[in-house]
Amino acid sequence: MKTVKYLLTEDRMPTAWYNIQADLPVPPPPVLHPGTGQPISPDDLAPLFPMALIMQEVSTERFIEIPEEVQAIYRQWRPTPLFRARRLEQALDTPARIYYKYEGVSPTGSHKPNTAVAQAYYNKQEGVKRLVTETGAGQWGSSLAMAGAFFGLEVLVFMVKVSYQQKPYRRTLMEAYGARVVASPSEETNAGRAILAACPDSTGSLGIAISEAVEVAAQDPDAKYSLGSVLNHVLLHQTVIGEEALAQMELADDYPDIIVGCTGGGSNFSGISFPFIGKKLRGERDVRVVAVEPAACPSMTRGKYAYDFGDTAKMTPLIKMHTLGHDFVPPGIHAGGLRYHGMAPLVSHLLELGVIEAINVQQLETFSAGIQFARAEGIIPAPEANHAIAGAIREALRCKEEGVSRAILFNLCGHGHFDMQAYTDYMAGKLRDYEYSEEEVAMALAGLPAVG
Amino acid sequence: MKTVKYLLTEDRMPTAWYNIQADLPVPPPPVLHPGTGQPISPDDLAPLFPMALIMQEVSTERFIEIPEEVQAIYRQWRPTPLFRARRLEQALDTPARIYYKYEGVSPTGSHKPNTAVAQAYYNKQEGVKRLVTETGAGQWGSSLAMAGAFFGLEVLVFMVKVSYQQKPYRRTLMEAYGARVVASPSEETNAGRAILAACPDSTGSLGIAISEAVEVAAQDPDAKYSLGSVLNHVLLHQTVIGEEALAQMELADDYPDIIVGCTGGGSNFSGISFPFIGKKLRGERDVRVVAVEPAACPSMTRGKYAYDFGDTAKMTPLIKMHTLGHDFVPPGIHAGGLRYHGMAPLVSHLLELGVIEAINVQQLETFSAGIQFARAEGIIPAPEANHAIAGAIREALRCKEEGVSRAILFNLCGHGHFDMQAYTDYMAGKLRDYEYSEEEVAMALAGLPAVG
């Protein structure tokens, strides 16, 4: 029994990103100005983002061309392979047909360069000299650092202090690419100094790091801010994954009955699923789409669909999304990329419309799934990706119970080579599950702004 | 300026390994029995290896078919890409045309699965239940652990104790695949107990770990020993790299003037270069081939071409090779895969015949080269691969000096995602170079056996 690879030739790499906003039956709620409570205009965002990305943020064109220079860099590792996981199917003894798209072949080992390269390109085009961003575990920060090196842009990364101290390897990778990495909260910003004054021992959070990055970018005329998930243009850039997968499923002479993706901010989930959801929305082909989030940070399954801030210091616009509240600090689970209090507004909108489903899974189940996957398929997955695998395995076992063969597609968004401490802890029995009471969730949501 | 990828379609993956023994003008000196000093027979090796591998060890057939089951697994990540490093050429401002073959796309991130999968297959075919091996930094051990998981073989790995303690992540990877990992020297073997009795604090060495693995394999009728480099059959399996590169250079409409490879035991160097050297030996096409070894472990450039043991406890047959003496313990440089006292006998033989050249480079130069490569090409290389990059950059700068454009091909044998501590130390200024005096080399060589 063997794993089967469906590889597109380079000339079949997509030349356009798919924009799901063209096919939505109802437009998503507007983004609101935090001061006025009114919808923001493109100009409001101009201090933070280059105009090309702002235009993508609000575009309703179905396809947006990938610039030739971005395509040229994509081609270093794209099209990425799509595999039929025959050895995993055999291990599960399931009639299901399990497919996975593998984004770990990128230089930084995840899907993040798909948008990092595009963002660096557009910023360079508009004369920007440096990019400022935040990172938790570092998948995003290292990808932007690499893209900055390619385009000759300085990159400044505010890295959540606890990760900066405990996970030095991604920091080293960012520095190897030439980026400057600062532990957040830092003395370099008002937001950081305020936190440190109130709480000198703060180990930081993604929300705080976003506040610092936004502050620096807004004040430096040569700098812009860069975000690795959540926003529409970020999700757009990731659709190259699903566009390829559409063509590869054709090569496999199959079509997914179910697509499973893990969700933190929503970018890899959107990347694999939006092109298929587009066909569903246009009435061409149905598909069940399941978003899998950690039980320790259950924005879609336990949070509220409401207007909220993207950061802790309330500097970002208000976006309507599934949120646990901008003050929510998730526990230190090892899927660092899924530890965000909110969800991409487009993903939240699709959930609200009933186009997609969401479930949450516990940490131990995800690592067990990851180990089973590694033994069958060889690739040790990133802890984030283990959530997608756990969801796919649940569906495959359901096929077995029901005696039905369904095609299940998931995105293996990255390898776990930088995350071996997580596996070490798991195998030593040091990891645990997390379950919130109704009271705890209600308390987290109490700080939501009174808007919308 | 962009990196260009030359990708073979799957149907062009080689279906046979290339055996350089078919084209040697003079056969290599025989392997000798340590007791009798006489050439060993295949039967002498039967306790350690399955007969199919022993036959490959001595075969002089030019091509040996890759079994279909091995091909099926290779196809998960093979053919691997070959890139033209245009961004690196630009950074160096060189007229050279630099190509690199990239083996880091394998599940364990290096070229080692090419032989691990083949070895596991042949052992499984002959009814072996478990494989015993040794590993230093863990590239080899993790690849064999993965191959064992694929074929349902138990894997026992003796891991050099200092690596076991300081580099837990590759150990975790091996354990995730289901292998048992033992710190060497251990209490599980006579060889290990003898070392511990004499030196309770021994941190181990590759030579000691080989002794332990060989001892266990020889005593267990259901077990065989497995080696990740040095032996002829291991080099043979790696030629799939160079066979692909031959076809890919054709796609690029070019041919290497110079091939550069890093050498520890010699397997990745042989993999990229032997198919090209074959054409040279057959008088079809000339090529300069440069082996790059660390100045801290300079077997070919400072050692002696002599019969020596492969391990510290003198349990292996005697092989004629460039060696620093089986007692030589190299310093703790970060290119763990290059810390072996000897060299593959076939590589040594080619050097002795004048078919290839060898140079050594210092550690700091290799890391500087690796960082420059990462900023240009995005991939952060393994410290071993940095030796090949340093050699290629030297040749590219020579092209610039001489105003000549030459095609330079090297093998990027693995990514550095498991080796970030090395980069952390390098960027913190904690690494150093090593230079041996004539006296130190003479002292290391004093223990060579009086044979041959």
Side-chain angles (χ1 to χ4, degrees), chain A residues 116-142:
Chain A
V117 170
Q119 292 189 43
Y121 167 79
Y122 288 115
N123 275 284
K124 181 74 177 180
Q125 285 292 103
E126 298 191 20
V128 174
K129 299 271 185 295
R130 64 190 66 89
L131 295 174
V132 191
T133 195
E134 72 290 323
T135 201
Q139 290 267 20
W140 164 243
S142 57

Coordinates of all heavy atoms in Angstrom, one line a residue, chain A residues 116-142:
Chain A
A116 N 3.1 36.1 2.8 CA 4.2 36.9 3.2 C 4.9 37.5 1.9 O 5.2 38.7 1.8 CB 5.2 36.1 4.0
V117 N 5.1 36.6 0.9 CA 5.7 37.1 -0.3 C 4.9 38.1 -1.0 O 5.4 39.1 -1.5 CB 6.0 35.8 -1.2 CG1 6.4 36.3 -2.6 CG2 7.0 34.9 -0.6
A118 N 3.5 37.9 -1.1 CA 2.7 38.8 -1.8 C 2.7 40.2 -1.0 O 2.8 41.2 -1.7 CB 1.2 38.2 -1.8
Q119 N 2.6 40.1 0.3 CA 2.6 41.4 1.0 C 3.9 42.1 0.9 O 3.9 43.4 0.7 CB 2.3 41.1 2.5 CG 0.9 40.6 2.8 CD 0.5 40.5 4.3 OE1 0.9 41.4 5.0 NE2 -0.1 39.5 4.7
A120 N 5.0 41.4 0.9 CA 6.3 42.1 0.7 C 6.4 42.7 -0.7 O 6.8 43.9 -0.8 CB 7.4 41.1 0.9
Y121 N 5.9 42.0 -1.7 CA 5.9 42.5 -3.0 C 5.1 43.8 -3.1 O 5.6 44.8 -3.6 CB 5.3 41.5 -4.0 CG 5.0 42.1 -5.4 CD1 6.0 42.2 -6.3 CD2 3.7 42.5 -5.7 CE1 5.8 42.8 -7.5 CE2 3.4 43.0 -6.9 CZ 4.5 43.2 -7.8 OH 4.2 43.8 -9.1
Y122 N 3.9 43.9 -2.7 CA 3.0 45.1 -2.8 C 3.6 46.2 -2.0 O 3.5 47.4 -2.4 CB 1.6 44.8 -2.4 CG 0.8 43.9 -3.3 CD1 0.4 42.7 -3.0 CD2 0.5 44.4 -4.6 CE1 -0.3 41.9 -3.9 CE2 -0.2 43.6 -5.5 CZ -0.6 42.3 -5.1 OH -1.3 41.5 -6.0
N123 N 4.2 45.9 -0.8 CA 4.8 47.0 -0.1 C 6.0 47.6 -0.8 O 6.2 48.8 -0.9 CB 5.2 46.5 1.3 CG 4.0 46.6 2.3 OD1 3.6 47.6 2.8 ND2 3.4 45.4 2.5
K124 N 6.8 46.7 -1.3 CA 8.0 47.2 -2.1 C 7.6 48.0 -3.3 O 8.1 49.1 -3.5 CB 8.8 45.9 -2.6 CG 10.0 46.3 -3.4 CD 11.1 46.8 -2.4 CE 12.4 47.0 -3.2 NZ 13.5 47.5 -2.3
Q125 N 6.5 47.6 -4.0 CA 6.0 48.3 -5.1 C 5.6 49.8 -4.8 O 5.7 50.7 -5.5 CB 4.7 47.7 -5.7 CG 5.0 46.4 -6.4 CD 5.7 46.7 -7.7 OE1 6.9 46.4 -7.9 NE2 4.9 47.2 -8.7
E126 N 5.1 49.9 -3.5 CA 4.6 51.3 -3.1 C 5.7 52.0 -2.3 O 5.4 53.0 -1.6 CB 3.3 51.2 -2.4 CG 2.2 50.6 -3.3 CD 0.8 50.6 -2.7 OE1 0.5 51.5 -1.8 OE2 0.0 49.9 -3.2
G127 N 6.9 51.6 -2.4 CA 8.0 52.4 -1.9 C 8.3 52.2 -0.4 O 9.0 53.0 0.2
V128 N 7.6 51.2 0.2 CA 7.8 51.0 1.7 C 9.2 50.5 1.9 O 9.7 49.7 1.1 CB 6.7 50.0 2.2 CG1 7.0 49.6 3.6 CG2 5.3 50.6 2.0
K129 N 9.8 50.9 3.1 CA 11.2 50.5 3.4 C 11.2 49.4 4.4 O 12.2 48.6 4.4 CB 12.0 51.7 3.9 CG 12.1 52.9 3.0 CD 13.3 52.7 2.1 CE 13.5 54.0 1.2 NZ 12.4 54.1 0.2
R130 N 10.2 49.4 5.3 CA 10.3 48.3 6.3 C 8.9 47.9 6.7 O 7.9 48.6 6.7 CB 11.1 48.8 7.6 CG 10.5 50.0 8.4 CD 11.5 50.4 9.4 NE 12.7 51.0 8.7 CZ 12.8 52.3 8.4 NH1 11.9 53.2 8.7 NH2 13.9 52.7 7.8
L131 N 8.8 46.6 7.1 CA 7.5 46.0 7.5 C 7.6 45.7 9.0 O 8.7 45.3 9.5 CB 7.3 44.7 6.8 CG 7.1 44.9 5.3 CD1 7.0 43.5 4.6 CD2 5.8 45.7 5.0
V132 N 6.5 45.9 9.7 CA 6.5 45.7 11.1 C 5.3 44.7 11.4 O 4.2 44.8 10.8 CB 6.2 46.9 12.0 CG1 6.4 46.7 13.4 CG2 7.0 48.1 11.5
T133 N 5.6 43.6 12.1 CA 4.6 42.6 12.4 C 4.8 42.1 13.8 O 5.7 42.4 14.5 CB 4.6 41.5 11.3 OG1 3.4 40.8 11.4 CG2 5.8 40.6 11.5
E134 N 3.9 41.2 14.1 CA 4.0 40.4 15.4 C 4.0 39.0 15.1 O 3.6 38.5 14.0 CB 2.8 40.7 16.3 CG 1.5 40.1 15.9 CD 0.9 40.7 14.6 OE1 1.1 42.0 14.5 OE2 0.4 40.0 13.8
T135 N 4.5 38.2 16.0 CA 4.4 36.7 15.8 C 4.3 36.1 17.2 O 4.8 36.6 18.2 CB 5.7 36.2 15.0 OG1 5.4 34.9 14.4 CG2 6.9 36.0 15.9
G136 N 3.6 34.9 17.2 CA 3.5 34.1 18.4 C 4.7 33.1 18.4 O 5.8 33.4 18.8
A137 N 4.4 31.9 17.9 CA 5.4 30.9 17.9 C 6.4 31.2 16.8 O 7.6 30.7 16.9 CB 4.7 29.6 17.6
G138 N 6.1 31.9 15.8 CA 7.1 32.4 14.8 C 6.9 31.9 13.4 O 7.8 32.2 12.5
Q139 N 5.9 31.1 13.1 CA 5.7 30.6 11.7 C 5.5 31.8 10.8 O 6.1 31.9 9.7 CB 4.4 29.8 11.6 CG 4.5 28.4 12.2 CD 5.0 27.3 11.3 OE1 5.5 27.6 10.2 NE2 4.7 26.1 11.6
W140 N 4.7 32.8 11.2 CA 4.4 33.9 10.4 C 5.6 34.9 10.4 O 6.1 35.3 9.3 CB 3.2 34.7 11.0 CG 3.1 36.1 10.4 CD1 3.2 37.2 11.1 CD2 3.0 36.5 9.1 NE1 3.1 38.3 10.3 CE2 2.9 37.9 9.0 CE3 2.9 35.8 7.9 CZ2 2.8 38.6 7.8 CZ3 2.8 36.5 6.7 CH2 2.7 37.9 6.7
G141 N 6.2 35.2 11.5 CA 7.4 36.1 11.5 C 8.5 35.6 10.7 O 9.2 36.4 10.0
S142 N 8.8 34.3 10.7 CA 9.9 33.8 9.9 C 9.6 33.9 8.4 O 10.5 34.1 7.6 CB 10.3 32.4 10.3 OG 9.2 31.5 10.2

